[in-house]
């Protein structure tokens, strides 16, 4: 709901004033992208991302040196076009205009982590954290990047700080803490974290994360109930679509590999943003040797 309000405000500014600042176009683009994330599944990527791309292009016409606009352009190339070469070019261009553009550094950290450049990824997310210490999603994403880079102990320190001390009412902080706890074998702690995230905001990725965990620990009934809960969200129009990524996450927990691969293929057709993590997210390890996964 907050994303839709922010989007509406930015679009109202753009449509009301011919001299609306380029930053308003970037703000609207970000909100379209966020609404299409598999985490929220509020808009189909094929609907939202072209709108975001058009807004970024308009922003760059207004202000060609706007770092944030180049950063969003790179993000679209990374998570929707799956063109990492163009994405990196855009990120580097953005950082030449503003080396401390926090959102760009965060997005670039994901690309670096997923392409195996762990030290550079950690450096980028730490720079983003320092550049914008008040941005909650950047702050909680520090732990996520450490996890994707294989630094689970450091990830746990960062995630615990975020969820328990800094942002105890921010749902993603608890979900990310759960991911780290699960990766370290603390299934009880992970269940508590996922449940807390769900209590704060029952979004698809929190449901899928808990369902995946239930599958891992052999609670098939609860895992399948999580699948049903995802579909109920769509039936109740709480989401626009059920992401193949979220379903695949539960299926891989249940070790239903064929169903997981089919769901991942659907996620690819959806242009799911989180497919970029498949080679570094430890939850997909059981599928790494499958030809269809590769």
């Amino acid at each position: 709901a907050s994303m839709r309000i922010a989007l509406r405000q930015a679009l109202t500014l753009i449509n009301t004033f011919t001299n609306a600042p380029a930053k308003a176009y970037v703000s609207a683009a970000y909100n379209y992208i966020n609404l299409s994330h598999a985490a929220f599944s509020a808009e189909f990527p094929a609907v939202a991302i072209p709108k975001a791309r058009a807004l970024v292009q308009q922003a760059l016409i207004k202000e060609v040196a706007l770092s944030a606009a180049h950063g969003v352009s790179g993000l679209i190339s990374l998570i929707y076009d799956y063109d990492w070469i163009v994405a990196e070019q855009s990120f580097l261009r953005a950082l030449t205009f503003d080396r401390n553009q926090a959102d760009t550094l965060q997005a670039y950290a994901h690309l670096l982590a997923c392409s195996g450049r762990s030290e550079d990824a950690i450096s980028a997310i730490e720079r983003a954290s320092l550049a914008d210490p008040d941005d909650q999603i950047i702050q909680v994403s520090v732990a996520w990047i450490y996890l994707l880079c294989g630094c689970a102990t450091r990830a746990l320190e960062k995630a615990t700080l975020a969820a328990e001390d800094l942002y105890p009412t921010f749902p993603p902080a608890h979900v990310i803490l759960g991911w780290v706890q699960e990766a370290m074998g603390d299934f009880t702690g992970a269940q508590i974290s996922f449940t807390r995230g769900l209590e704060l905001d029952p979004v698809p990725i929190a449901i899928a994360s808990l369902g995946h965990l239930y599958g891992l620990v052999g609670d098939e009934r609860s895992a399948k109930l999580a699948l049903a809960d995802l579909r109920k969200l769509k039936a109740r129009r709480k989401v626009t679509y059920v992401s193949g990524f979220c379903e695949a996450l539960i299926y891989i927990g249940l070790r239903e590999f064929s169903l997981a691969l089919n769901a991942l293929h659907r996620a690819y057709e959806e242009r799911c943003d989180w497919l970029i993590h498949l080679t570094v997210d430890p939850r997909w390890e059981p599928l790494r040797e499958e030809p269809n996964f590769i």
Side-chain angles (χ1 to χ4, degrees), residues 79-203:
I79 65 173
Y80 185 75
D81 300 331
Y82 303 147
D83 190 335
W84 295 14
I85 293 173
V86 170
E88 185 158 18
Q89 291 170 348
S90 294
F91 292 146
L92 292 175
R93 190 177 304 115
L95 294 172
T96 62
F97 293 119
D98 181 357
R99 68 180 304 275
N100 293 315
Q101 213 292 313
D103 292 317
T104 297
L105 286 166
Q106 177 187 218
Y108 193 23
H110 280 276
L111 185 153
L112 291 165
C114 295
S115 55
R117 289 172 279 174
S118 297
E119 290 185 12
D120 291 337
I122 290 168
S123 174
I125 197 62
E126 291 285 8
R127 283 172 57 195
S129 174
L130 290 172
D132 195 345
D134 297 321
D135 188 309
Q136 293 183 78
I137 196 63
I138 288 176
Q139 298 307 316
V140 302
S141 292
V142 174
W144 190 6
I145 295 298
Y146 272 103
L147 178 62
L148 294 175
C149 290
C151 303
T153 301
R154 189 71 173 137
L156 183 62
E157 294 173 5
K158 294 286 188 178
T160 302
L161 176 66
E164 296 183 1
D165 297 328
L166 299 177
Y167 313 114
T169 61
F170 188 49
H174 296 279
V175 174
I176 291 174
L177 174 58
W179 293 344
V180 178
Q181 291 167 322
E182 179 187 303
M184 297 189 74
D186 180 7
F187 296 156
T188 300
Q191 182 176 349
I192 292 170
S193 295
F194 293 144
T195 301
R196 178 59 178 149
L198 277 168
E199 289 170 350
L200 291 166
D201 193 6
V203 294

Side-chain angles (χ1 to χ4, degrees), residues 273-293:
D273 48 313
W274 280 354
L275 293 189
I276 64 170
H277 300 131
L278 290 181
T279 60
V280 291
D281 185 331
R283 294 175 294 184
W284 303 106
E285 183 63 35
L287 289 180
R288 293 266 158 80
E289 302 303 319
E290 292 284 340
N292 286 344
F293 182 82

Side-chain angles (χ1 to χ4, degrees), residues 216-237:
L216 274 186
V217 300
D219 188 347
E220 181 179 346
R221 178 178 177 275
S222 294
K224 290 185 175 178
L225 283 174
L227 275 171
D229 286 341
L230 285 176
R231 292 158 188 166
K232 285 177 186 176
L233 285 180
K234 184 174 184 300
R236 295 169 182 168
R237 299 185 179 180

